Amino acid sequence: MHLLQFRRWSESAGTFPKRLVTVLILGLGIVLGIAGIGLSQGSFLPQNSLSEPTAPSAEVERVETGIFAISVYDIDLATNSFYADFYVWFKWKGAIDPITYLEVTNSISDWSMMSVPAHPEPERLPNGSFYQISRVEGRFLQSFDLKHYPLDQYNLSIFMENSAYTTDQLVYVADDQASGYSQFLTIPGWSIVGSAIESLVRTYDTNFGDPRLPSQSEHSVLCYSLNIARPWSFFVWKLLLPLLIVLASSCAALLLAPQHIDSRVALPVTALLTTVFLQETYADSLPDLGYLVLMDQVYVIAYILIFISILEVIITAYWVDKNEEIWTKRVMWADSILLSLQIIVMATGLIWLVTQA
C-alpha cells in the first residue's frame, strides 16, 4: 500500500521538474547558439586592402621609420576614436623626401592634428643618411568590435601612407627595435599588453580618373599598434558579482518553506527588476549595437533562470493550496532539483562564454 502510494507520488512529482529541465536545456541551447555567432574573432586591421609587402628592389628608396608613444587618452567607444601623442622618426638615403606627401590615413581631424619637427631641415647622420623626427598629436579613427565586452581587447592603430610615391619608388621599413611606448604611459581602465609596428602595402584598384596612371597602384603603409585590454577585475567585481548576488536572491526563494508564497514570488520578481536595472547601467556606457556583447549573453542566461524560478513558485503555489503534506514534499523536492539545475546551467554557461571570449 505504502509502496504503491510512493510510486504514484514520484510519477506525479517528476512531471514538473522534467519540464523545467527541458526548458533549461532549450534556453541554454539558444544562448550558446547566439554566443557562437556573436563571439567570432574580428581582425584588428579593418582595411582589407592591406597586405604584406614583398622584398623591395635595390632601386627603391627605403625609409626606416619608427614610432614611440608618449600618451594615449580619451578612448571613445561611441565615436570609435582615441587621442594619441607620439614621436615619429625617419632615416633614409635618396633624393625622395618621404615626409612631404606623408598622410595619416586614419586621422579624424587634420586641422586639429599637431606635428612639430625637431629640426628645421633633415639632418645628416655620420653614415650619410638623412634624419628627421617629429612630435605628433591628434585624434585617430579606430573601429571597436565590442562582441567580447567586458573582456575586450583592441589594437589602437596609426596608419601612415605616402600618397605620391608607389612601392616601386619608396617603401617604409619598420624600426621595430627602437619603436614602442613610454614606461610612464598609462590608460585609466585599461591594461597595456604591448605594441607592434609593421610595414604594409595598400592596393588601390583605380587610376583615380587620371588616364596617365595605371589601373592599379600600390603604396607603402606603416602601421603602429598599441595593444590594450580591459582588466579582469572590471568584469568580475563591477559587472559579474552584482549579477550573481541578484541571482542568489532569486534562488533563495527556492530555499524558503513552501507556505511562504508571497516571499517566494517576491524574491525572483524583485531580482528580475534589479537585473534589468543592472543591464541598463553598463549598456548606457556602450554605443547602440546591432548584436549582443558577451555581457548581454550572460544576462540572457540570468533572465532565463529568473523566469523559470518565477514560473516554478507560481505553479507550486497551487500545490501548496491543497494543504496536504504530500504536496508540500513535492514542492520541496522540485525546489531542490531546480536549484541544483540553475547552479549547473549558470556555471556551465558562464564558463563557456568566457572561454569563447
Side-chain angles (χ1 to χ4, degrees):
M1 180 67 179
H2 292 289
L3 180 60
L4 179 61
Q5 184 180 14
F6 176 77
R7 181 177 299 174
R8 290 176 179 175
W9 171 80
S10 300
E11 294 175 354
S12 175
T15 302
F16 180 63
K18 288 179 180 178
R19 292 176 180 176
L20 287 177
V21 172
T22 303
V23 174
L24 282 170
I25 294 176
L26 289 176
L28 183 58
I30 294 173
V31 172
L32 297 182
I34 295 173
I37 298 174
L39 289 178
S40 58
Q41 182 75 25
S43 172
F44 287 122
L45 295 179
Q47 294 85 346
N48 55 11
S49 61
L50 291 174
S51 59
E52 296 291 333
T54 58
S57 62
E59 295 78 14
V60 177
E61 182 173 312
R62 298 165 57 92
V63 183
E64 187 176 357
T65 309
I67 292 179
F68 191 84
I70 301 300
S71 64
V72 175
Y73 55 98
D74 195 16
I75 300 174
D76 194 338
L77 302 180
T79 61
N80 290 289
S81 62
F82 66 95
Y83 272 102
D85 182 6
F86 58 92
Y87 287 103
V88 56
W89 60 87
F90 307 89
K91 291 186 291 184
W92 74 96
K93 292 180 179 180
I96 300 177
D97 186 350
I99 305 175
T100 303
Y101 298 101
L102 185 66
E103 298 179 357
V104 182
T105 56
N106 65 326
S107 65
I108 293 181
S109 302
D110 291 339
W111 58 268
S112 63
M113 179 173 293
M114 182 186 69
S115 179
V116 181
H119 313 290
E121 296 293 336
E123 293 191 339
R124 279 276 189 175
L125 299 179
N127 63 357
S129 300
F130 291 100
Y131 175 80
Q132 181 62 282
I133 183 172
S134 299
R135 183 166 182 173
V136 181
E137 182 178 1
R139 191 170 188 86
F140 304 92
L141 179 66
Q142 176 67 53
S143 179
F144 295 110
D145 186 356
L146 296 170
K147 288 187 178 69
H148 301 290
Y149 176 89
L151 298 178
D152 39 351
Q153 183 173 342
Y154 306 106
N155 274 354
L156 302 181
S157 300
I158 299 172
F159 295 92
M160 293 185 173
E161 177 182 344
N162 196 297
S163 59
Y165 300 101
T166 58
T167 53
D168 57 356
Q169 298 171 299
L170 180 145
V171 294
Y172 293 97
V173 180
D175 183 3
D176 51 2
Q177 296 296 323
S179 298
Y181 57 92
S182 172
Q183 60 178 332
F184 303 107
L185 173 58
T186 58
I187 307 175
W190 298 89
S191 299
I192 301 177
V193 180
S195 65
I197 187 169
E198 58 181 336
S199 179
L200 301 171
V201 173
R202 191 194 304 276
T203 302
Y204 293 97
D205 295 322
T206 178
N207 62 357
F208 302 100
D210 190 344
R212 298 169 298 176
L213 298 178
S215 60
Q216 186 182 80
S217 61
E218 295 182 346
H219 294 257
S220 181
V221 176
L222 188 80
C223 174
Y224 172 85
S225 299
L226 184 70
N227 186 262
I228 62 172
R230 210 182 297 268
W232 269 78
S233 57
F234 175 75
F235 169 63
V236 174
W237 300 114
K238 291 193 174 183
L239 295 179
L240 184 60
L241 181 61
L243 178 62
L244 293 180
I245 293 175
V246 172
L247 283 176
S249 66
S250 175
C251 293
L254 306 179
L255 300 176
L256 297 177
Q259 292 77 13
H260 301 156
I261 297 176
D262 293 342
S263 298
R264 284 167 59 87
V265 174
L267 280 175
V269 171
T270 304
L272 178 61
L273 298 176
T274 307
T275 303
V276 173
F277 171 76
L278 289 176
Q279 187 176 24
E280 288 296 325
T281 301
Y282 78 80
D284 288 341
S285 63
L286 301 177
D288 294 332
L289 302 172
Y291 53 85
L292 296 180
V293 301
L294 170 65
M295 202 63 203
D296 290 334
Q297 296 163 21
V298 174
Y299 270 80
V300 169
I301 299 178
Y303 284 131
I304 292 175
L305 297 182
I306 294 175
F307 174 76
I308 292 177
S309 294
I310 296 175
L311 184 64
E312 198 265 352
V313 296
I314 291 176
I315 294 178
T316 55
Y318 171 76
W319 296 359
V320 177
D321 285 342
K322 295 180 180 293
N323 292 323
E324 298 180 6
E325 183 179 355
I326 187 173
W327 287 102
T328 301
K329 292 181 179 179
R330 290 177 181 178
V331 173
M332 296 176 64
W333 184 73
D335 288 347
S336 61
I337 293 295
L338 181 60
L339 181 59
S340 300
L341 289 174
Q342 283 188 328
I343 295 175
I344 294 173
V345 170
M346 187 63 194
T348 303
L350 185 61
I351 292 173
W352 192 88
L353 290 174
V354 170
T355 53
Q356 291 299 308

